[in-house]
Structures are given as structure tokens and as C-alpha cells.
Amino acid sequence: MKLINVKILLKASPIWIFILFELVFFSVAGSYLSLSDKAFMDVDNMLLLLKQSAPIGIIAMGMAIIMINGNIDLSVGATFAIAAIVLLETMSSPMFKGLGDWVIPIAWGAALLVGALLGAINGLIAWKTGVDAFIVTLGSMLGFRGLVFMFNGENPTSHLNWTLVDFAESQFLGLHTATWFLLVVTAVIWYLMNRTVHGRNAYAIGNNREAAVNAGIRVGPHMMINFMLIGFLAALSAVVFYSESGSVNPNDGQLYELWIITAVVLGGTKLTGGSGSILSTLGGVIAIQLLRKGLGHIGADTSTVNLVIGSILILVLFLDRQINIKGREELKV
């Protein structure tokens, strides 16, 4: 029975087969090509990989909802940067100087609120104007990034709080703090999408928006909630990451949207909406991070990493299109 369940899981989520292939390939290749004596599948190496997956992974959970809903958000990288600046600026604000470490929850709250508000702006514009979310968030990506540069020019924003650093670097049951945030967010979003009316509505709207409207689903407010959620998660990702690093550059978060969309698509979510899995999205995030780390392990440079991941994305989209075309032809017969 357990074997059958495993087979069903792998058939439903082929990304995990791909991850297994990556682990085997880079372990074998690394033994011949790597300059390091450390094994690729070393426990510490894998735990670090999960920690490094957290910033993109947390946002990817929100992107999965947006894409299942039939939309896309290109502004998450800029939202990530703005939330980081709000976090660090609030921490160093003279207004809260006498609070000591009690400024931490205020800074976290301010950053998360700003992320949700930026998401709400995207959702409200897409809802009220009827403009495609791709265009809306493309504009907000440029606008939000402009705000980042207007705030501090080319200079980084920095503030290091050692209490936060200790929290961010701590481990519980062998897992880093960032990894726990990723796992908790994944569990919450999985529950939202599989056990609530909101999740069922997201699939229904992405599959057939007109039918969803006829069924009485309020598409506009629903879409706005999802954009607020992804804005919140982009800010949460920034809070988790910059609690440890303590310094944000104006260009931080650039290309995040592309890495995140790649991970979500690699996890099986369709760009057209209506289909996708949160657990498979987590697999997509891990697969991307494994590729980046594995290629680096065998000596590949950044350009080679980008070329390989870009090629895999194109291949996945091509195969997905071929499967959809075949499915439609079978329905006609």
C-alpha cells in the first residue's frame, strides 16, 4: 500500500524524481570534477541548501496561488527590497531609540504591512481597471524599484541588530530559522489551497473565470486578497533574510521574480492557471537551488547556471504545451 502511495505521489509530482536525479548526478559528477573534498550530499550541505532556498521559496508559495488563479506578479523582487529598507530604517529610527530590542516587532510589523499594502495596490488596479496583471505588475515592478533608488540612491541601507542575528542564525531540531519559516509558510499555504473555500475558488477562477463568475464567486476581491498575500510573503521573505544580513542594496531582489516563476512552473503549475500544487512548488524551489548549488559544486560559473536553468524552463514549458495539445485532441475524439 505504501509503495502504491509513493508511485502515485511521484506520478503526480514528477519534480521529486528530477530532484532525486540531481542528487545522484551531482554526487557522482562532484566526485570527479569538484575541487572540494566535501561530498555534495553532506548533511550540513543539504541543511544549508534548505536555508538558502527560503528567501525565494517563501515568495514562491504566494506566486503559486497567483498563478493558479490565472495571474502573475512581476513586482515581488522590488517589494522584497522595499520591505527590507522599511525593516532596517525602522530599526534605526530615532523615534524608537529608547525601545531597545522591543523595536524588533515594530520593524517586522511595519515591513509586513508595507508588503501587504503594495500587493493591495497591484490587486486593486488589476481589479478595478481590468488590465492584465502581467502589465499591472510590470509597471509596479519598475515603479517600486524606482522608489527604492529614490530613497537612498545607490547607497546600501544598513542596520545590524545582534539579537535578530542570533535569532536568524539559530537552529531548532537541526534546521535553521529560515528553513522553519519556509516549512511553516508551505504548510499554511497548502492548507489554504486544499482545505478552504478560498483555495477551491482560486482553482475555479484560474480554470474558467467566466464560469466562476456565473457560480457567484467574487473574482475581484478574491484576486486582491491573493495579491495582498504575495506582497505579505515577499515582505516576510525580506524580514527573514535581512534579520541576519542587516544590509540591503538598491538592486537586491532583482530577477527574483524570474527565479520564482521558474520554480513554480518547474513544480507543475500552469501559466494559464487552474492547476498547480503547493508541495510541488516547494519541490521546484529545491530543484532550482540544487541546480545552482550543484553546478557551482562542479565548477560551473554563473552564466552557465543561468543557461542551464533557462533551458530547462523552456523544455518544461514545451512539454507542458505538448501534453495540453494532446489532451485537447483526445477530447475532440
Side-chain angles (χ1 to χ4, degrees):
M1 186 67 179
K2 290 183 178 179
L3 182 61
I4 294 174
N5 290 336
V6 170
K7 287 182 177 179
I8 292 174
L9 176 63
L10 292 177
K11 185 177 180 180
S13 305
I15 187 62
W16 299 105
I17 300 176
F18 181 60
I19 289 172
L20 182 61
F21 169 79
E22 287 181 294
L23 289 171
V24 173
F25 174 80
F26 289 121
S27 295
V28 174
S31 64
Y32 293 98
L33 301 175
S34 176
L35 299 176
S36 173
D37 294 332
K38 198 171 187 179
F40 180 70
M41 288 182 65
D42 179 81
V43 173
D44 291 337
N45 204 24
M46 293 298 101
L47 291 176
L48 180 60
L49 181 142
L50 287 174
K51 178 185 178 182
Q52 293 170 338
S53 299
I56 287 178
I58 291 171
I59 308 174
M61 296 305 143
M63 186 67 79
I65 299 177
I66 291 290
M67 290 175 64
I68 289 170
N69 211 183
N71 294 302
I72 203 164
D73 189 345
L74 300 178
S75 67
V76 289
T79 301
F80 175 87
I82 290 177
I85 290 174
V86 171
L87 171 75
L88 300 182
E89 282 295 318
T90 304
M91 296 279 290
S92 59
S93 173
M95 184 187 306
F96 305 114
K97 188 175 182 180
L99 293 179
D101 286 340
W102 286 106
V103 72
I104 294 174
I106 296 175
W108 278 42
L112 295 174
L113 178 61
V114 166
L117 287 174
L118 294 178
I121 291 172
N122 284 334
L124 186 64
I125 293 174
W127 171 18
K128 293 299 183 181
T129 65
V131 176
D132 189 271
F134 178 90
I135 302 300
V136 172
T137 58
L138 177 62
S140 59
M141 175 184 72
L142 299 174
F144 295 167
R145 184 64 64 179
L147 290 176
V148 172
F149 280 95
M150 286 173 62
F151 181 79
N152 216 13
E154 297 284 344
N155 301 316
T157 300
S158 303
H159 181 82
L160 199 61
N161 181 293
W162 289 107
T163 301
L164 266 183
V165 172
D166 290 341
F167 170 74
E169 292 183 346
S170 64
Q171 295 185 35
F172 178 67
L173 298 178
L175 299 178
H176 296 89
T177 299
T179 303
W180 280 111
F181 271 96
L182 173 59
L183 295 177
V184 170
V185 167
T186 300
V188 171
I189 300 301
W190 179 90
Y191 182 86
L192 176 69
M193 296 301 288
N194 291 277
R195 295 291 186 269
T196 70
V197 174
H198 184 87
R200 290 194 293 272
N201 287 347
Y203 283 101
I205 293 170
N207 188 52
N208 191 322
R209 180 169 297 197
E210 185 177 347
V213 172
N214 292 335
I217 299 175
R218 300 184 65 200
V219 173
H222 174 91
M223 183 170 63
M224 185 170 173
I225 290 171
N226 289 336
F227 275 103
M228 291 177 68
L229 181 58
I230 194 173
F232 176 87
L233 291 176
L236 178 62
S237 175
V239 163
V240 172
F241 182 79
Y242 290 102
S243 291
E244 181 175 0
S245 71
S247 180
V248 54
N249 290 300
N251 287 314
D252 284 2
Q254 281 193 344
L255 298 182
Y256 264 32
E257 53 280 343
L258 299 183
W259 288 106
I260 290 164
I261 292 169
T262 300
V264 175
V265 171
L266 197 58
T269 299
K270 297 183 183 299
L271 286 172
T272 52
S275 177
S277 164
I278 300 303
L279 293 181
S280 293
T281 296
L282 177 62
V285 171
I286 294 173
I288 290 291
Q289 194 60 37
L290 270 173
L291 273 175
R292 296 172 70 178
K293 199 171 188 69
L295 289 169
H297 183 68
I298 61 176
D301 56 19
T302 303
S303 58
T304 303
V305 173
N306 291 337
L307 176 62
V308 170
I309 294 177
S311 300
I312 289 174
L313 176 61
I314 293 172
L315 177 62
V316 169
L317 292 175
F318 173 77
L319 291 175
D320 179 69
R321 177 176 172 79
Q322 294 305 308
I323 291 171
N324 287 336
I325 290 174
K326 184 178 179 181
R328 285 195 295 268
E329 290 175 349
E330 288 177 352
L331 286 175
K332 289 178 181 178
V333 176

